[in-house]
Amino acid sequence: MRADLLTRRTEADWQDQAHRHHERVSRFSDPYLERRSRGAKHPVEDFLFTYYNQKPGRLLRWHPGAGVLLEGPAARERADWKYYVVEGDGVRVDARRFAEERREAIDFARHILARTAARPAQFGCFGLHEWAMAYRSAVNGIRHEYLHLRLGAAGTDDVVEAARIRCTHFDAFRFYTPEAVPLNELTPTRETQRDLEQPGCLHANMDLYKWAYKLTPLLPSGIVMDCFELSWRIRTMDMRASPYDLAEWGYEPIEIESAQGKAEYVRLQRGFAEESQILRVRLLEHLERALVDT
């Protein structure tokens, strides 16, 4: 990027932003690291650190995103950080190098974000993917071995067998028990992911965090954390609607086996779909701006 197009940040300014980012992340990462140190688990709050590949240490690092020049002696400490480059009296993200080395990741993220944003949202799944993962648990066991099924094994099976299951998300479908796989009306694959993702899907919306951190440090940390916090709230809803009993952790169930529970699920699902669509557009806008001179 041309030097005259860079936004300059004084050392005091950008270090203040980095400090506030560290505090923002620590609210989530510190409890997780404390639990991990003593071998404890949390069915909701561990998910974004265990399922996704971005570890707490990486998330704690603040990045300004492309097009920003960080000034001052402290900035020079970033000269050896991956995808950073010295520019005059400061350092900046090397967007051109990132685009050259991560072209496949950029193209996939751009494609899936745009395609998903353009599709109509579907609101009839009622979170049954989690139930399908626990189907026939008397034979298969359950993924979260330290939890109990709210309706028991037989009750969980009854809900699955009475439902219409039409999950569009491959990374949920791939965890179905063998007996649940043929009950899904679709057969999502990694190859069809770009064609099936839709903005009503809780997991597709949680994955906004994945696409954001995969584009680090090209994107600013602020939008990465916006995606993280949205995913955190979606995960809470996802597990409240699951077949597991989370009363011990203080979560009220969304009883999707009832008409009232289904209505509550769809109400929350619609809200998250609207939030996620806004974030999809923001991610695409940031990405396009970052790549404008590459």
Side-chain angles (χ1 to χ4, degrees):
M1 176 174 283
R2 286 167 33 197
D4 60 317
L5 296 178
L6 292 170
T7 299
R8 302 179 71 94
R9 298 293 185 204
T10 66
E11 185 169 28
D13 179 30
W14 71 259
Q15 286 205 311
D16 178 64
Q17 290 185 51
H19 175 71
R20 285 187 280 114
H21 170 76
H22 194 280
E23 289 186 329
R24 185 180 183 184
V25 176
S26 293
R27 291 194 302 110
F28 302 97
S29 62
D30 285 357
Y32 164 70
L33 292 171
E34 189 279 328
R35 282 192 301 273
R36 190 179 70 175
S37 70
R38 54 187 173 85
K41 295 180 180 180
H42 194 291
V44 176
E45 296 182 2
D46 290 351
F47 181 76
L48 268 64
F49 296 111
T50 56
Y51 177 75
Y52 293 110
N53 291 328
Q54 187 79 326
K55 301 307 179 186
R58 291 182 181 179
L59 189 61
L60 283 162
R61 278 189 172 188
W62 174 81
H63 300 283
V68 178
L69 185 74
L70 302 181
E71 300 177 338
R76 290 296 183 125
E77 298 174 5
R78 297 176 174 235
D80 294 330
W81 287 20
K82 192 169 185 179
Y83 299 120
Y84 275 77
V85 64
V86 174
E87 178 80 41
D89 59 349
V91 299
R92 62 172 175 82
V93 172
D94 189 346
R96 185 180 300 276
R97 181 185 166 203
F98 188 97
E100 291 172 352
E101 296 184 7
R102 302 295 308 280
R103 176 55 60 185
E104 185 176 346
I106 289 170
D107 289 346
F108 189 88
R110 177 188 274 153
H111 191 83
I112 201 166
L113 289 169
R115 292 283 294 275
T116 304
R119 291 192 186 96
Q122 301 173 28
F123 299 109
C125 68
F126 306 120
L128 284 160
H129 55 277
E130 289 287 346
W131 294 72
M133 296 177 199
Y135 184 55
R136 299 287 176 87
S137 62
V139 175
N140 300 297
I142 56 176
R143 293 188 64 221
H144 304 288
E145 72 284 349
Y146 60 100
L147 300 178
H148 299 288
L149 294 172
R150 182 168 54 83
L151 303 180
T156 300
D157 293 350
D158 288 343
V159 171
V160 173
E161 290 165 2
R164 179 191 178 195
I165 308 178
R166 198 174 188 275
C167 180
T168 57
H169 189 69
F170 171 69
D171 283 315
F173 179 72
R174 67 190 177 97
F175 291 111
Y176 277 28
T177 64
E179 294 86 351
V181 168
L183 302 180
N184 205 64
E185 293 184 3
L186 301 170
T187 307
T189 65
R190 185 66 70 202
E191 291 70 29
T192 61
Q193 184 176 10
R194 286 180 262 195
D195 301 315
L196 290 178
E197 294 281 51
Q198 47 85 20
C201 173
L202 294 190
H203 280 263
N205 294 334
M206 280 193 283
D207 276 356
L208 290 177
Y209 169 57
K210 176 170 67 175
W211 308 127
Y213 77 69
K214 282 182 177 291
L215 297 173
T216 298
L218 197 66
L219 300 185
S221 289
I223 194 167
V224 175
M225 280 305 296
D226 288 346
C227 293
F228 178 97
E229 290 176 353
L230 174 63
S231 297
W232 184 279
R233 290 187 288 117
I234 293 175
R235 172 62 175 178
T236 301
M237 174 194 167
D238 194 36
M239 289 302 287
R240 286 182 60 210
S242 77
Y244 300 105
D245 183 354
L246 301 182
E248 180 182 345
W249 282 268
Y251 297 99
E252 286 289 327
I254 300 173
E255 299 176 348
I256 58 95
E257 69 274 17
S258 70
Q260 182 179 358
K262 285 183 173 66
E264 175 69 359
Y265 186 93
V266 172
R267 183 185 69 81
L268 295 171
Q269 186 182 25
R270 287 184 180 275
F272 284 132
E274 291 175 5
E275 287 188 66
S276 299
Q277 287 290 63
I278 293 170
L279 267 180
R280 274 191 187 87
V281 172
R282 286 180 58 203
L283 283 170
L284 285 166
E285 289 175 346
H286 274 286
L287 183 55
E288 297 307 321
R289 284 199 299 269
L291 297 173
V292 69
D293 277 350
T294 60

